[in-house]
């Protein structure tokens, strides 16, 4: 029987909700959407959050595909700096300065590709303070080096900020051809 489910098979979304529950986050299956890849998820989120000509704030250095994906959706990627002084960190002053009236979301990648930098709880709180939705790419979250005690486990901890967490099978399984991804949504019901 043909029974389309626009957000993906309910069984798969229920399994992901159980996974989140095991990690301490109560995400309902109705707040999880499956996609063919995180690239597709970015495209969907840019369409959802932005009108043509709007901006998204993206880390620099970071994954070079952001610019391409944003431009395909007629969205302008505006970089915010990651700085290095023995360890990588978000230049929060630069992030705040990059925000304009056209800024519609902040993209965060933790651990970052290619720096390996890990976002810390204070940085996450500062990002939430911008009052913009957060797109948190957490596909490399299982691949941390050393210990990072102040690192947040997931941006899903934010309660007053719309958060879209991206994850997928290709990185977690180490199988680049396995392209199933998902977006988990948290934040205020409104």
């Amino acid at each position: 029987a043909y029974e389309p489910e626009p957000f993906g098979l309910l069984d798969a979304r229920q399994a992901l909700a159980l996974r989140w529950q095991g990690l301490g986050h109560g995400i309902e299956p109705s707040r999880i959407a499956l996609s063919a890849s995180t690239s597709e998820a970015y495209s969907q989120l840019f369409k959802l959050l932005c009108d043509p000509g709007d901006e998204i704030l993206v880390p620099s250095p970071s994954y070079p595909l952001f610019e391409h994906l944003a431009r395909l959706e007629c969205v302008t990627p505006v970089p915010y700096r990651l700085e290095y002084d023995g360890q990588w960190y978000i230049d929060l002053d630069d992030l705040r300065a990059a925000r304009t009236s056209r800024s519609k979301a902040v993209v965060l990648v933790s651990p970052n590709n290619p720096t390996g930098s890990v976002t810390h709880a204070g940085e996450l709180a500062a990002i939430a303070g911008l009052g913009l939705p957060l797109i948190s790419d957490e596909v490399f979250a299982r691949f941390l080096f050393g210990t990072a005690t102040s690192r947040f486990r997931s941006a899903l901890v934010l309660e007053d900020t719309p958060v879209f967490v991206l994850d997928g099978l290709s990185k977690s399984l180490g199988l680049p051809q396995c392209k199933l991804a998902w977006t988990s949504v948290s934040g205020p019901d409104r």
Side-chain angles (χ1 to χ4, degrees):
Y2 178 64
E3 297 175 11
E5 295 186 45
F7 293 110
L9 292 175
L10 180 58
D11 289 349
R13 292 183 289 125
Q14 288 171 332
L16 289 167
L18 284 173
R19 178 183 171 273
W20 278 123
Q21 185 179 8
L23 294 171
H25 301 287
I27 300 296
E28 295 295 321
S30 62
R31 288 183 169 239
I32 299 172
L34 303 181
S35 57
S37 66
T38 53
S39 294
E40 181 183 47
Y42 276 112
S43 294
Q44 293 168 343
L45 290 171
F46 295 164
K47 285 180 185 89
L48 174 70
L49 299 171
C50 301
D51 290 322
D54 283 341
E55 301 170 346
I56 54 160
L57 305 177
V58 297
S60 178
S62 196
Y63 191 53
L65 193 56
F66 290 141
E67 184 170 331
H68 177 71
L69 293 172
R71 297 217 185 274
L72 283 174
E73 304 306 330
C74 299
V75 173
T76 303
V78 175
Y80 64 88
R81 281 192 309 263
L82 301 181
E83 295 288 342
Y84 185 80
D85 68 357
Q87 69 177 10
W88 288 96
Y89 63 93
I90 296 172
D91 183 334
L92 295 172
D93 291 333
D94 190 62
L95 174 60
R96 290 182 192 104
R99 182 176 191 236
T100 71
S101 62
R102 297 298 306 226
S103 301
K104 300 302 177 191
V106 178
V107 173
L108 176 67
V109 183
S110 185
N112 183 276
N113 175 6
T115 67
S117 61
V118 175
T119 304
H120 296 275
E123 293 170 321
L124 185 63
I127 292 169
L130 293 173
L132 295 171
L134 173 61
I135 301 170
S136 182
D137 188 327
E138 300 177 11
V139 297
F140 293 111
R142 290 170 210 73
F143 303 104
L144 294 177
F145 293 107
T147 59
T149 56
S150 61
R151 184 218 187 262
F152 68 94
R153 289 198 174 274
S154 174
L156 294 173
V157 299
L158 296 175
E159 296 177 1
D160 298 325
T161 300
V163 175
F164 303 88
V165 171
L166 280 57
D167 201 348
L169 286 179
S170 66
K171 306 301 185 292
S172 62
L173 296 178
L175 298 170
Q177 70 280 13
C178 191
K179 288 302 203 181
L180 178 67
W182 52 89
T183 303
S184 303
V185 182
S186 71
D189 286 338
R190 62 172 161 58

